[in-house]
C-alpha cells in the first residue's frame, strides 16, 4: 500500500502541466519573425539599397535644363521677349566630361538678336574627380554591405537569444527533477519514522516532516517559476501556452534539437574576421582618399560663343586651361574670332595665390604618415585579437565535446541501471525510492544531453558571428 501511494505521488508530481507544445523549429521561426531588431535591420538594409541607387544615379550621366529668366517688355517701339536658356550635361565616368550650352535670346517686332550664346566642352586632364567618384560609389556600396551584415548579425543574435533562453528553461527542468528526487527520498524516510512509532511531537518526527515540507515548497516554487518563464517564452515566440495539472516535465524536453558538427574556427579566412576586415577596409578607403589630394591638377575647356562680350561681341572659338599647383591657380583663356573683320584674337588670364596652402600641404603630408602608421597598428591589433578569439573558442569547444562524451556515458549507465532497478522493484527486491532515484538520474542526464546539443548550436552561432561570409 505504501509503495502504491508513493508511486501515485510520483506520477502526480511529474505530470503537472498539460499543454500544446510546438516544435523547436516552429518556435524559432516565429521568434525570429517577431524580433524587433531583425525587423529594424531589414528596414535599414532596404534604406541603404535605395541610397546606393540614388548615389549611382547622381554619380552617372546627368543633364540639367533651365529656361533662365524670361522677360516680357512693352514700349513705344513695340513688344519684346527675352530668354536665357541653358543645358548642362555631365559625364563623370568620362574624365568628368562636361558640355554646357547657354545663350541670351531676344525676340521683338524688329527681329531676333543673340548675345553670348555658347557651347562649351570641359575635360579633366589631371584631377582627382574620377577617383573621388570611385570612392563615393565604394562608400555607398559599403553602406549596403554593412547594412546587410548588420541584418545577418541580428538574425544570429536573435537565434542565440532563443537557444540561450531554451537552454535556461531546460536547466530549470533539470533542477526540478533533482528537487523531486530529494522529495521522494525524504518522504520515504518520513514514512519510516512514522512506522517506527515516533510521536508527532518528537524531534525525529518533526525534523523528518519539515524536510518533506521544505522539499515540497522548493518543488512548488520551482514549478511556478518554470511555468511563468515558459509562458513568457512562448509569448516571445507569438504562441500561447495553457497549463493544467496533467503533463510531465519530460514532455517539455524538445526532441528535434539538431545535432550539428562543430565549425572549425581555423578554417575561416583570417581576413574575414570582423575586426580585421574593418581595419583593412579603413586602410583601403583612407589610402584612396589620400590619393585624391593631388599637388597638381589640370583642366581643359573649349567652346564656341556667338557675339562674345569678352571679345568685342564677335563670334569666337574659346580655348582655356585651368591648372593648380599647391596654392597657385592659373587660368589662361584665348578667344579666336571666326567671322567678320580682321583676325584679332583676345585673351584673359586669371591668377590666384594662397600661400597658406603650401604650408598646410606639408602638414597634411605629415598627418598622412601618422594615419598610415595607425592603420597598420589597427590591423595588427585586430589580428592579435583573432588569435585570442581562436584560443578561447577552441577551449570552449573542448569543454562542450568533453561534456558530450561524459553525458552520453552517464546517460547510458543510468538508463541501464534504471531498467534493472525497475525489474528489481517489481520483484520487490528494492524499495521504490531506489528505483525513483535511478529514474530521476536518467532523466537528468537526458536533459543535459539536450542542453549539450544547444551548447553546440550556440558555439557555431558564436563562431559564425566572428567572420563575414561575404568578405573578399
Amino acid at each position: 500500500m505504501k509503495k502504491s501511494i508513493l508511486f501515485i505521488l510520483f506520477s502526480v508530481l511529474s505530470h503537472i502541466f498539460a499543454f500544446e507544445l510546438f516544435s523547436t523549429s516552429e518556435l524559432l521561426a516565429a521568434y525570429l519573425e517577431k524580433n524587433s531588431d531583425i525587423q529594424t535591420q531589414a528596414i535599414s538594409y532596404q534604406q541603404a539599397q535605395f541610397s546606393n541607387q540614388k548615389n549611382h544615379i547622381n554619380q552617372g550621366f546627368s543633364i540639367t535644363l533651365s529656361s533662365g529668366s524670361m522677360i516680357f517688355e512693352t514700349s513705344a517701339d513695340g513688344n519684346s521677349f527675352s530668354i536665357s536658356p541653358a543645358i548642362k550635361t555631365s559625364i563623370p565616368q568620362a574624365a568628368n566630361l562636361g558640355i554646357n550650352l547657354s545663350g541670351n535670346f531676344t525676340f521683338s517686332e524688329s527681329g531676333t538678336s543673340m548675345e553670348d550664346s555658347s557651347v562649351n566642352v570641359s575635360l579633366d586632364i589631371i584631377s582627382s574627380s574620377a577617383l573621388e567618384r570611385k570612392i563615393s560609389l565604394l562608400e555607398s556600396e559599403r553602406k549596403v554591405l554593412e547594412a546587410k551584415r548588420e541584418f545577418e548579425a541580428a538574425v544570429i543574435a536573435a537565434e542565440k537569444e532563443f537557444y540561450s533562453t531554451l537552454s535556461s528553461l531546460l536547466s530549470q527542468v533539470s533542477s526540478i527533477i533533482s528537487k523531486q528526487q530529494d522529495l521522494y527520498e525524504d518522504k520515504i524516510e518520513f514514512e519510516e519514522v512514522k512506522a517506527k512509532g515516533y510521536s508527532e511531537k518528537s524531534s525525529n518526527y518533526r525534523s523528518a516532516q519539515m524536510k518533506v515540507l521544505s522539499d515540497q515548497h522548493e518543488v512548488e516554487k520551482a514549478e511556478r517559476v518554470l511555468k511563468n518563464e515558459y509562458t513568457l517564452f512562448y509569448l516571445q515566440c507569438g504562441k500561447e501556452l495553457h497549463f493544467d495539472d496533467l503533463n510531465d516535465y519530460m514532455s517539455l524536453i524538445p526532441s528535434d534539437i539538431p545535432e550539428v558538427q562543430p565549425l572549425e574556427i581555423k578554417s575561416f579566412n583570417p581576413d574575414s574576421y570582423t575586426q580585421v576586415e574593418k581595419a583593412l577596409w579603413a586602410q583601403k578607403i583612407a589610402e584612396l582618399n589620400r590619393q585624391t589630394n593631388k599637388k597638381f591638377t589640370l583642366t581643359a575647356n573649349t567652346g564656341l560663343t556667338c557675339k562674345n562680350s569678352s571679345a568685342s561681341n564677335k563670334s569666337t572659338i574659346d580655348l582655356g586651361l585651368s591648372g593648380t599647383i599647391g596654392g597657385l591657380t592659373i587660368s589662361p583663356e584665348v578667344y579666336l574670332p571666326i567671322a567678320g573683320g580682321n583676325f584679332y584674337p583676345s585673351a584673359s588670364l586669371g591668377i590666384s595665390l594662397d600661400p597658406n596652402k603650401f604650408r598646410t600641404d606639408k602638414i597634411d603630408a605629415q598627418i598622412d604618415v601618422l594615419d598610415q602608421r595607425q592603420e597598420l597598428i589597427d590591423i595588427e591589433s585586430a589580428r592579435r585579437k583573432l588569435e585570442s578569439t581562436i584560443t578561447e573558442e577552441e577551449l570552449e569547444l573542448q569543454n562542450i565535446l568533453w561534456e558530450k562524451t561524459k553525458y552520453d556515458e552517464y546517460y547510458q549507465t543510468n538508463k541501464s541501471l534504471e531498467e534493472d532497478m525497475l525489474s528489481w522493484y517489481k520483484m520487490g527486491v528494492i524499495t521504490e525510492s531506489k528505483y525513483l532515484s535511478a529514474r530521476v538520474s536518467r532523466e537528468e542526464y537526458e536533459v543535459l544531453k539536450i542542453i549539450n546539443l544547444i551548447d553546440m548550436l550556440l558555439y557555431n552561432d558564436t563562431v559564425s558571428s566572428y567572420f563575414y561570409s561575404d568578405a573578399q
Side-chain angles (χ1 to χ4, degrees), residues 265 268-279 381-390 465-468 471:
I265 192 169
F268 288 84
N269 180 2
D271 287 348
S272 68
Y273 182 62
T274 55
Q275 295 187 29
V276 172
E277 197 275 344
K278 289 178 180 177
S381 176
R383 294 195 186 280
R384 286 197 301 268
K385 178 61 178 176
L386 172 59
E387 294 175 359
S388 175
T389 298
I390 289 175
S465 68
Y466 286 134
F467 299 90
Y468 291 135

Side-chain angles (χ1 to χ4, degrees), residues 2-11 425 432 435 439:
K2 175 181 176 181
K3 289 183 178 181
S4 298
I5 292 174
L6 289 173
F7 198 82
I8 292 172
L9 175 64
F10 172 83
S11 299
Y425 169 66
E432 185 177 23
Y435 161 67
R439 174 174 174 174

